[in-house]
Amino acid sequence: MVSQVPDSIFFPKEEENVLELWKKNDTFKKSLEQSKAAKRPNYTFYDGPPFATGLPHYGHLLAGSVKDIVTRYAHQNGYHVERRFGWDCHGLPVEHEIDKKLGITGPADVHAMGIDKYNAECRSIVMRYANEWEHSVERLGRWIDFKNDYKTLYPWFMESVWWVWSQLFAKGLVYRGYKVMPYSTACNTPLSNFEVNQNYHDVTDPAVFVNFPIDQDSGVSFVAWTTTPWTLPSNLALCANPDETYVKILDKARNQKFIMMEARLCGLYKGEDEYEIIDKFLGNTLAGKTYTPLFPYMEHMKSSGAFKVCLDKYVTRDAGTGIVHQAPAFGEDDYRVCLTNGVFKKGQEPDICPVDPTGKFLSIVTDFSGMYVKDADKHIIKKLKEGGRMVHAGTINHSYPYCWRSDTPLIYRVVPSWFIKVTSLREKLLANNDKCYWVPEFVKEKRFKNWLADCRDWSVSRNRYWGTPIPLWMSDDGQEVVCVGSIKELEELTGQKITDIHRESIDHLTIPSKCGKGELKRVSEVFDCWFESGSMPYAQQHYPFENVPQFDAKFPAEFIAEGVDQTRGWFYTLLVLATALFDKPPYKNLIVTGLVLAADGKKMSKRLKNYPDPTEVMNKYGADALRLYMIDSPVVRADTLRFKEEGVKDVLKDVLLPWFNAYRFLVQNIIRLDKEDGVKFLYNENSPVQSNNVMDKWILSYTHSLIDFVKVEMAAYRLYTVVPRLLQFIANLTNWYVRLNRARLRGEVDLEECQASVQTLFSVLFTMIRLMAPFTPFITEMMYQNLYQSIDRSMLKGASDSIHYLMLPKYEPAMVDQDIERRVSVMQSVIETG
């Protein structure tokens, strides 16, 4: 017999009671045991690993809600769904925290301290907020296995990462080269292009026009423009567009002759009366002309081909002067143009980069030695003015990339790196992307497809310490390279027993050369942490060293979900590695969520305190309300959500309370039926009471229409359509069915009508809680634990002491009466319009 329900409810307290029930009964674990014992088909889900060095925010809770809804739904739809939590433990997020704590400013500080001690510090904080994470995830109602987790620092995980790399190496997809890359001076390491896109700031930078006196035309200078004056001491060439028209002019105010692109005169002059055009010619006539260097630091390179004009069509009429200053150590196009035109030769990269890993000028730049490049801008401008080389100095407001970890300005810098030849996989990547189903589709067809079409080779090495070491051992001359693919292989090659493969454990190991080159030593770099997270489908299974049949049966994943920023992060790295290894996509279905912003549309900021604490919101309104609020928003369609606490409150008021009141009214009348009429109500879905009442038929038809709708939408992973339909259903249930049938439900008509209406309402609510259990796991469990007492156990198969053990309700087409639904809809319209 059901128990009486109080008139009021505090949802957060009820949710805590449910959490205690789940904990006491080990409900999640038992649900997995049941589905495994029943040999249900696998539904594979990959969980993208977060860092535990920071606290979970609304973006994590949003992704967690989506993942939980889909995996709970899959379980209740007849699948076995293993759900393992993962932790990203290596890389810049951890190292940056230690650098701040210990005041480390560069590699010299780490080596003075010792890599072993530095990595021990890193290891000590990787799980700093693990308890807070586990509490938040649990409080959200998300079911996921923390005990059987994976951490990227586990040696067995790292060993599988080695295997992935060895496969790419064997396929000829790996090479070492120099490349101008986004570089974090705060973290002393290059970043991948997709990392750069995560953090842009609007900044004001210098914008200067500088003259370059031409050797072949006395009294005439080229004029170039730059927003990075700090690169001017490294200038080695100029570049013009061969097909554009250039002019020689007389600057009337300065009484100087300049050469620049005709279409860009407007960039330096406000009106035509400020200059006089002396001559016009195509850019190709400027090829090979030489000029006086700005600074003497690299003047010695002039005799070998530097300080001349090169030609390339990347120079446009969009900005500047149409003559681009070339510092090949600090610009991708500069590097390409100067290398192609013999300004420098391969192997000279260290000679053309006078900036150290921390972003400070080397001693060769005598005037600014030891100065951080960004700080040097004003001093360089002053020096150029004093030397008569400054034409005009101003400023520009523009968007500039910042390090996603340290939040400091990035520079572009030539660095040696290990690369994966992603460009050679471009067509396969595009083809495999076509095999995947994305929600929303436009992210796949536009943002992600365009990113793949323009993909670049992926720099996977980092000049850091706390990470999976790149397993390459090389001779001093770089000609002999051994790629190690497992711990066992390294043990055989070195004769040493190995238990851990972090840098401090293997850097000292050498491999005898097979070519008479002495001892091979490991290259110093570690993997980018994105390479590790992209390897997680294999590494979480310790594939191929263990679990081969399990992996083969579960790859690719049925489903993954993360934020839209991962289109250039985890989604991308997963696809690159799966395509390179198996030429198949790593996932079949993918939900992309948007960004959760503060109510004012700004990024959520702890410093500004412009958003409510997630834990406080759940403690105030409950996790079910928060889950529904986020799912019923543009954020599940990859759009932004301006988070408003009132929105969570509205869900409580408009959805959960009316739903609870309908449930409470049902319970009241089941108890009244027993007390007043001596009828002990027992619900059996297989033996329904037949009712001829139109409203009973309508609400039952409407319920089965809801079942059909939810199943169709969930099969298409359109979570965002379900909540609006739920809102409509609850409004119809409470405002129409319950209100118009109060007399019947209370027994004020006759006993037969009372029993029919109670049976109907029980059927509707029992159907609803099964259908909505993945979305609102708490309120459905709370209602079920009480309604369970009035359910005929013979109709329940297997374990039934939790709503989350039950399968989804069956859709019965015979129960749907479109004519009745239409007629009631007309009646509602007439009543509402008066």
Side-chain angles (χ1 to χ4, degrees):
M1 182 70 172
V2 293
S3 300
Q4 190 63 265
V5 177
D7 291 342
S8 62
I9 182 173
F10 183 58
F11 286 101
K13 178 59 179 174
E14 295 299 329
E15 291 183 354
E16 288 172 8
N17 293 339
V18 170
L19 286 172
E20 282 300 315
L21 177 72
W22 289 344
K23 190 175 182 179
K24 176 185 173 184
N25 296 338
D26 213 354
T27 311
F28 172 44
K29 183 180 179 182
K30 286 181 181 176
S31 73
L32 292 174
E33 290 171 351
Q34 292 163 17
S35 59
K36 190 173 185 178
K39 296 182 179 179
R40 295 185 193 167
N42 287 310
Y43 182 95
T44 309
F45 157 70
Y46 294 154
D47 192 32
F51 289 99
T53 49
L55 291 168
H57 51 65
Y58 284 106
H60 295 120
L61 298 182
L62 166 65
S65 297
V66 171
K67 295 170 187 177
D68 192 53
I69 289 168
V70 171
T71 52
R72 281 181 181 273
Y73 185 88
H75 173 86
Q76 292 186 241
N77 204 22
Y79 290 93
H80 175 65
V81 190
E82 191 178 77
R83 284 154 271 182
R84 296 176 67 190
F85 202 82
W87 300 100
D88 221 336
C89 302
H90 288 147
L92 292 182
V94 182
E95 291 197 27
H96 184 62
E97 292 296 315
I98 296 303
D99 289 352
K100 287 192 298 182
K101 174 186 173 183
L102 302 180
I104 288 172
T105 60
D109 293 339
V110 176
H111 288 284
M113 174 185 183
I115 294 175
D116 57 340
K117 292 183 176 63
Y118 182 82
N119 278 358
E121 289 281 350
C122 291
R123 189 185 292 270
S124 72
I125 70 161
V126 292
M127 301 304 289
R128 177 190 287 168
Y129 296 115
N131 290 335
E132 287 85 349
W133 268 91
E134 194 162 347
H135 173 76
S136 288
V137 170
E138 180 184 90
R139 184 63 191 86
L140 186 67
R142 185 181 176 195
W143 276 3
I144 193 159
D145 191 349
F146 280 97
K147 292 179 181 177
N148 185 33
D149 66 357
Y150 71 86
K151 295 183 177 74
T152 59
L153 60 72
Y154 288 153
W156 54 262
F157 188 100
M158 297 166 69
E159 184 177 31
S160 289
V161 174
W162 275 15
W163 173 81
V164 171
W165 178 255
S166 70
Q167 297 302 297
L168 303 184
F169 188 88
K171 293 183 178 192
L173 291 172
V174 170
Y175 70 93
R176 187 176 190 271
Y178 279 92
K179 189 174 183 180
V180 175
M181 297 185 62
Y183 187 89
S184 171
T185 56
C187 298
N188 310 144
T189 193
L191 302 179
S192 298
N193 284 299
F194 54 80
E195 291 177 281
V196 175
N197 286 280
Q198 297 190 30
N199 190 16
Y200 270 78
H201 288 204
D202 290 328
V203 298
T204 301
D205 274 329
V208 298
F209 294 82
V210 183
N211 68 60
F212 298 82
I214 304 170
D215 294 337
Q216 295 83 0
D217 199 346
S218 179
V220 182
S221 299
F222 296 117
V223 178
W225 174 80
T226 183
T227 60
T228 54
W230 65 266
T231 63
L232 290 171
S234 308
N235 171 267
L236 289 179
L238 298 173
C239 190
N241 187 311
D243 300 330
E244 289 286 349
T245 300
Y246 286 76
V247 291
K248 180 190 293 185
I249 62 166
L250 173 65
D251 182 311
K252 294 179 181 179
R254 297 176 179 86
N255 195 31
Q256 290 180 295
K257 293 177 182 177
F258 297 141
I259 289 178
M260 56 189 294
M261 188 186 288
E262 183 179 25
R264 291 305 309 159
L265 286 166
C266 59
L268 182 58
Y269 300 104
K270 293 181 179 179
E272 295 180 5
D273 59 332
E274 297 180 30
Y275 58 83
E276 177 187 334
I277 295 178
I278 300 171
D279 195 8
K280 290 187 181 185
F281 38 83
L282 287 178
N284 60 19
T285 62
L286 301 175
K289 290 187 180 294
T290 58
Y291 59 89
T292 303
L294 286 171
F295 296 97
Y297 318 130
M298 298 185 185
E299 204 167 22
H300 61 281
M301 294 184 66
K302 189 167 186 177
S303 60
S304 58
F307 304 105
K308 66 182 180 185
V309 176
C310 305
L311 302 178
D312 195 275
K313 292 184 180 180
Y314 95 88
V315 179
T316 69
R317 52 171 63 192
D318 296 334
T321 66
I323 294 177
V324 181
H325 131 70
Q326 303 288 287
F330 305 111
E332 283 188 87
D333 286 314
D334 308 38
Y335 181 90
R336 174 182 58 80
V337 169
C338 289
L339 185 62
T340 302
N341 286 273
V343 173
F344 74 97
K345 296 179 176 62
K346 271 195 175 294
Q348 282 188 295
E349 284 86 356
D351 301 328
I352 63 171
C353 182
V355 173
D356 73 11
T358 66
K360 295 176 181 177
F361 280 114
L362 298 173
S363 58
I364 187 175
V365 185
T366 53
D367 298 296
F368 316 109
S369 177
M371 196 177 292
Y372 178 62
V373 292
K374 286 285 187 178
D375 294 337
D377 276 344
K378 56 182 177 291
H379 301 287
I380 291 169
I381 291 171
K382 181 182 178 184
K383 187 81 173 174
L384 291 171
K385 285 179 178 178
E386 291 171 351
R389 303 297 292 271
M390 182 65 66
V391 177
H392 176 72
T395 58
I396 185 173
N397 297 316
H398 63 160
S399 186
Y400 191 85
Y402 273 57
C403 175
W404 64 281
R405 196 63 238 168
S406 64
D407 205 35
T408 54
L410 296 176
I411 65 171
Y412 281 77
R413 181 175 182 266
V414 68
V415 290
S417 187
W418 291 94
F419 294 90
I420 297 173
K421 296 179 183 176
V422 178
T423 49
S424 68
L425 301 170
R426 182 179 289 121
E427 296 308 316
K428 289 182 178 180
L429 290 169
L430 289 166
N432 283 332
N433 183 48
D434 284 341
K435 298 173 186 175
C436 305
Y437 176 76
W438 289 57
V439 175
E441 189 179 19
F442 75 82
V443 180
K444 167 189 173 180
E445 293 299 330
K446 294 181 179 178
R447 186 177 181 131
F448 196 61
K449 189 173 184 178
N450 292 341
W451 181 251
L452 295 178
D454 294 331
C455 67
R456 302 179 185 182
D457 289 349
W458 176 13
S459 166
V460 294
S461 59
R462 297 291 177 267
N463 304 318
R464 298 303 302 179
Y465 309 95
W466 180 239
T468 300
I470 293 181
L472 294 175
W473 272 255
M474 186 185 295
S475 60
D476 290 341
D477 63 5
Q479 297 303 303
E480 184 180 357
V481 181
V482 172
C483 180
V484 177
S486 70
I487 292 174
K488 182 180 179 182
E489 184 183 355
L490 185 59
E491 289 178 335
E492 292 172 349
L493 289 169
T494 62
Q496 301 290 320
K497 181 64 179 174
I498 298 164
T499 56
D500 184 49
I501 54 176
H502 285 91
R503 283 194 63 175
E504 65 273 19
S505 300
I506 66 168
D507 274 7
H508 63 284
L509 299 178
T510 59
I511 297 174
S513 169
K514 293 182 179 180
C515 305
K517 295 180 181 288
E519 296 292 315
L520 308 185
K521 299 171 186 174
R522 197 190 71 81
V523 300
S524 62
E525 296 96 331
V526 299
F527 283 115
D528 169 15
C529 58
W530 291 97
F531 186 81
E532 293 178 316
S533 58
S535 300
M536 64 75 57
Y538 330 104
Q540 72 165 347
Q541 297 280 353
H542 195 207
Y543 179 88
F545 308 103
E546 295 181 84
N547 304 312
V548 173
Q550 293 93 322
F551 172 79
D552 291 342
K554 296 178 180 179
F555 183 83
E558 291 290 337
F559 164 71
I560 66 171
E562 295 294 343
V564 69
D565 54 323
Q566 295 302 326
T567 52
R568 295 176 179 180
W570 191 51
F571 300 155
Y572 176 69
T573 61
L574 283 172
L575 184 64
V576 167
L577 294 183
T579 299
L581 292 171
F582 303 112
D583 192 19
K584 62 168 68 172
Y587 40 74
K588 296 178 184 177
N589 303 288
L590 191 156
I591 292 178
V592 186
T593 58
L595 299 177
V596 183
L597 304 175
D600 59 4
K602 295 179 180 177
K603 186 177 180 180
M604 288 186 172
S605 167
K606 291 179 184 176
R607 180 177 57 82
L608 297 175
K609 296 181 180 179
N610 60 351
Y611 65 94
D613 179 82
T615 301
E616 291 179 9
V617 168
M618 286 191 281
N619 290 340
K620 194 172 181 180
Y621 305 106
D624 280 343
L626 177 61
R627 288 165 67 117
L628 286 183
Y629 169 68
M630 292 190 295
I631 298 305
D632 183 31
S633 77
V635 79
V636 192
R637 300 190 293 276
D639 208 339
T640 54
L641 166 64
R642 293 189 176 193
F643 188 91
K644 296 179 181 177
E645 189 175 334
E646 306 82 58
V648 184
K649 184 178 180 181
D650 287 343
V651 169
L652 195 84
K653 175 172 60 74
D654 298 334
V655 181
L656 300 183
L657 270 175
W659 187 2
F660 168 77
N661 286 332
Y663 154 74
R664 182 170 58 86
F665 189 64
L666 170 67
V667 170
Q668 286 174 346
N669 285 289
I670 291 174
I671 293 172
R672 186 204 54 76
L673 197 60
D674 176 46
K675 286 183 177 179
E676 296 181 8
D677 299 312
V679 177
K680 294 195 179 298
F681 178 82
L682 194 65
Y683 176 76
N684 190 318
E685 197 168 50
N686 300 322
S687 305
V689 174
Q690 298 299 321
S691 173
N692 293 318
N693 183 279
V694 172
M695 292 303 288
D696 287 351
K697 289 183 177 181
W698 166 70
I699 197 64
L700 289 171
S701 173
Y702 197 59
T703 300
H704 280 271
S705 292
L706 177 68
I707 296 172
D708 183 43
F709 176 83
V710 171
K711 288 191 173 185
V712 168
E713 295 304 290
M714 288 300 291
Y717 292 86
R718 291 189 290 264
L719 278 62
Y720 53 85
T721 63
V722 174
V723 177
R725 186 66 175 257
L726 171 64
L727 280 165
Q728 184 185 5
F729 183 86
I730 289 174
N732 276 327
L733 177 66
T734 57
N735 295 337
W736 295 95
Y737 182 76
V738 173
R739 185 174 294 176
L740 294 179
N741 287 274
R742 281 187 184 277
R744 293 176 66 226
L745 286 160
R746 287 172 173 161
E748 295 171 4
V749 178
D750 60 44
L751 182 60
E752 185 179 344
E753 284 294 310
C754 175
Q755 288 180 289
S757 59
V758 168
Q759 165 88 12
T760 299
L761 185 55
F762 195 105
S763 173
V764 169
L765 285 173
F766 182 49
T767 297
M768 194 177 174
I769 60 175
R770 282 178 290 168
L771 194 60
M772 294 310 301
F775 291 85
T776 52
F778 291 108
I779 189 174
T780 53
E781 185 74 279
M782 180 201 72
M783 291 179 179
Y784 177 72
Q785 290 301 318
N786 197 20
L787 296 179
Y788 183 60
Q789 308 309 315
S790 290
I791 294 177
D792 186 343
R793 307 297 164 82
S794 67
M795 65 166 271
L796 300 173
K797 298 177 182 178
S800 58
D801 51 332
S802 170
I803 187 67
H804 302 290
Y805 292 163
L806 305 187
M807 295 296 98
L808 294 165
K810 290 182 180 180
Y811 168 58
E812 301 287 355
M815 295 294 293
V816 177
D817 190 325
Q818 295 290 351
D819 183 56
I820 286 181
E821 287 192 39
R822 182 188 57 78
R823 285 157 54 199
V824 171
S825 178
V826 171
M827 176 193 74
Q828 290 172 324
S829 298
V830 170
I831 294 173
E832 286 171 346
T833 56

